[in-house]
Structure formats: C-alpha cells, structure tokens
C-alpha cells in the first residue's frame, strides 16, 4: 500500500501541475426563433425514436438521489428530480410539437453552452469474426484482464475525489498497466488472458476501440454485440493528430476514412503508428447493444456522449449544426439530443453524436468535426 500511495501521490502532483483548461459554462440565453422552431420540427419528425430514448434517460435519472445537484455548484440551480421533470415534460409535449413548434421556446429555459462545442461522431462498426481461434481470424479481441486493478484515489485524500488509478501489481510493485505496444506487439496478455473473440485485421480492432463498441458477425451469420468493458488507464492519443504532425495526412484531408486508408496502404508501418496511442480498450460480449454509460441502449442521431462533470447523463440538448454529406457539402440541422454516454476524449463542452451503424453512419462519424450551437433545456418552473 505504501507503493500505491506513492503512485497516487505522483499522479495527483502531475494533475496539479498541468495547465488549467478553459472551463466551459452554461449561460441562460433565449434561442433565436428560427433555431427553436427548427429544433422542434426536427424533434417532431424523429418523435418515435426520441420518445424511446427519453424513456431510457428517465429510467436512469430516476435512480439518482432526487435532491442531489447534477450540475454542481457552478451549474444551473436544478436537482435530479427537476431534471426528471424536464424529461417527463418533453416526453408529454412530443406529440404536439409538429402542430405547435413554439412549445420548446415557451416551456423550457434555454442555457447556451459556451464556448461553442466541437461536435464529433461515433458509430457501431461491424467486424467478421469467431468466438474460437481460427486461421481466418488471427487477431484477438481482449476482454477485461484479471490482472487489471482500479483504485479510487478519493479514499486516500479528498482532493483526489473522482480520480482513479488503473494499474497492475507485480511482485509487490504497483505498475502502470500494459500499453498498446506491450499488448499487441510483445504479447503481454498472451499467457494470462483468453480473448473473448478473434477477427481478421488489427486495424479493425483499433477502430473498434476508438468507437467503444461494435458488432461481431460470426461465420453462421449471427451477430454478437461487442461492448466496452474497461481500459488500461493510459491517456488517449489522437492518431489523426499524430499523422498531421508527422506530415502523413494534410489537416484539410483528415477523416477517419483517410486514416483507415493510410493504415491499409502501409501495412508495415501501421502497427507502429497505432502504438503512438498507448490507450487500450477491453470488451465483453452481449446479445443487445450498443449500451451507453447509463447501461441502456443508445439511439442513433439522438444519444450523445458528454463530459458528465459539465453536462450530466440525462441532459436534454438542443443542437444546431451542419452535418456533412457524401457530396462534400453539408446541411444545417437542428435536433434534440440526449446525454446518454461518456468518452475518454470527451472533455469540457465537446460532444460526440452516436450516428448508428452502417455505411452512412460510418461516413458521418468519420467526417463530423463541426462547431455547433448547443443549448441545455430545463423545464420552466412555472409550467404545470
């Protein structure tokens, strides 16, 4: 435990020395009439999917302490019970939005997210694979290793509340868990961990880890969901950023598809480049999915990953953004999203939109990099 304490202390000191990031904030701000009307119209068109997603958010929010404050001391004056009331009110208004799109502006307080969030996208990739070793599927998909340990640092000192140390213990020493290179190249888990499945290509596994979940199509045609189970505790490094810095892909051409194409065209360099991201995600198999951080199914073009320290799970978000299309342009779209997931790279005001599965979802997730106008919606207290 002495070694663990020292490791925790070093981590805390490193965090304390880091430059403070620009803190996002919420400013009560009435939306423009056009934005509010287009948001309501978009919600009316997507009413069925949105209704189911609201129900799943309500299931989660109702498990929280009713008088607890989801937004913290710097956020809106709101309790978990009031956040549930906001979701219930939105659910009740959905059938009326098509005929009366002004309802959202009249019935909710709008709090603008500042600075203007960067919105990206993620999707559910599909891989071919097997649950048993097979010559056609040589690449392992790893489950959560038994040797991985997570320690709540808040147990040692209040200043570390909310921080977690992910590690392994070897011969009494507390050590960082294995990196991507140690797992994929040096076989650090080969002797101690049995993969949950196997697939064809290490690049596919890399992108599965970036997305956080996916589908595994088995030789008999059946499908299993591959869901997030944990990670190795190392900081996520953006492969796109690394490739831009090394001059491999111009910034203006950067996309998920462009990264994937480069890796396939340079197989001898691909693994070394992927090793630049030491973060590694572990998975579990399930019959249903994909699941977000609430433990509930995500809804395409509704569910969003947020930084829960700023926009807690269950938040209602009105989004006004340009969504790219395959023709090289984009259409300005206003819609309602729900905070139902988290992501290791989603910090501050940044948002990540779950785009679904299939080719269109993959395209949108790979190209979506847009500054967006976003409002948090909370039911007005004087409404019934």
């Amino acid at each position: 435990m002495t070694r663990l304490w020292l490791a925790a202390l070093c981590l805390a000191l490193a965090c304390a020395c880091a430059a403070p990031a620009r803190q996002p904030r919420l400013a009560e701000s009435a939306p423009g009439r056009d934005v509010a009307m287009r948001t309501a119209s978009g919600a009316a068109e997507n009413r069925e999917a949105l209704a189911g997603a609201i129900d799943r958010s309500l299931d989660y929010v109702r498990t929280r302490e009713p008088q607890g404050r989801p937004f913290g001391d710097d956020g809106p004056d709101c309790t978990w019970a009031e956040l549930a009331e906001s979701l219930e009110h939105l659910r009740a208004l959905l059938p009326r939005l098509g005929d009366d799109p002004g309802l959202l502006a009249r019935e909710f307080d709008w709090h603008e997210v500042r600075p203007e969030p960067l919105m990206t996208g993620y999707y559910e990739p599909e891989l071919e694979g097997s649950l048993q070793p097979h010559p056609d599927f040589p690449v392992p998909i790893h489950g959560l290793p038994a040797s991985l340990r997570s320690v709540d640092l808040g147990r040692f000192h209040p200043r570390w509340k909310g921080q977690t140390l992910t590690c392994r213990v070897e011969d009494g020493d507390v050590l960082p868990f294995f990196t991507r290179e140690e797992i994929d190249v040096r076989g650090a888990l080969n002797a101690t961990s049995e993969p949950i499945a196997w697939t064809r290509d290490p690049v596919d596994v890399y992108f599965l880890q970036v997305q956080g979940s996916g589908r595994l199509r088995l030789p008999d045609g059946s499908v299993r969901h591959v869901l997030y189970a944990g990670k190795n505790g190392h900081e996520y490094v953006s492969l796109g950023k690394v490739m831009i810095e090394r001059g491999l892909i111009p910034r203006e051409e950067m996309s998920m598809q462009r990264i994937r194409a480069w890796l396939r065209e340079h197989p001898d360099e691909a693994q070394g480049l992927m090793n630049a991201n030491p973060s590694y995600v572990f998975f579990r198999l399930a019959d249903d999915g994909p699941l977000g951080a609430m433990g509930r199914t995500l809804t395409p073009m509704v569910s969003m990953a947020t930084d829960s320290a700023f926009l807690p799970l269950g938040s209602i978000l009105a989004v006004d953004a340009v969504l790219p299309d395959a023709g090289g342009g984009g259409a300005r779209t206003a819609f309602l999203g729900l905070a139902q997931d988290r992501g290791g790279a989603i910090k501050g005001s940044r948002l990540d939109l779950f785009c679904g599965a299939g080719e269109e979802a993959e395209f949108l997730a790979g190209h979506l990099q847009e500054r967006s106008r976003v409002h948090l919606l909370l039911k007005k207290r004087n409404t019934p």
Side-chain angles (χ1 to χ4, degrees), residues 207 239-240 243 249 254-263:
F207 280 95
L239 203 57
M243 297 177 81
I249 298 177
M254 181 54 64
S255 70
M256 180 176 63
Q257 286 80 0
R258 189 72 175 83
I259 296 173
R260 184 186 286 272
W262 193 97
L263 293 174

Side-chain angles (χ1 to χ4, degrees), residues 1-8 149 151 153 156 165-177:
M1 290 306 294
T2 299
R3 292 189 181 96
L4 182 55
W5 173 258
L6 290 173
R149 298 284 185 269
V151 180
L153 297 183
F156 296 95
L165 179 69
T166 302
C167 59
R168 60 190 172 94
V169 179
E170 186 174 306
D171 297 329
D173 284 331
V174 176
L175 303 172
F177 201 77

Side-chain angles (χ1 to χ4, degrees), residues 29-89:
S29 173
R33 183 176 184 277
D34 174 65
V35 171
M37 298 288 279
R38 288 190 298 108
T39 302
S41 297
E45 292 174 2
N46 197 31
R47 185 177 73 182
E48 185 175 346
L50 193 54
I54 292 172
D55 289 341
R56 287 186 279 276
S57 284
L58 274 169
D59 287 344
Y60 172 81
V61 171
R62 287 169 178 159
T63 67
R64 316 305 293 171
E65 171 57 40
Q67 297 310 309
R69 295 176 58 88
F71 295 96
D73 295 336
D74 296 330
D77 181 18
C78 174
T79 64
W80 282 107
E82 289 173 318
L83 183 55
E85 289 177 9
S86 295
L87 288 162
E88 291 165 353
H89 195 53

Side-chain angles (χ1 to χ4, degrees), residues 277-293:
N277 176 19
S279 177
Y280 203 92
V281 173
F282 304 105
F283 297 98
R284 62 185 178 89
L285 295 173
D287 294 325
D288 298 314
L291 302 181

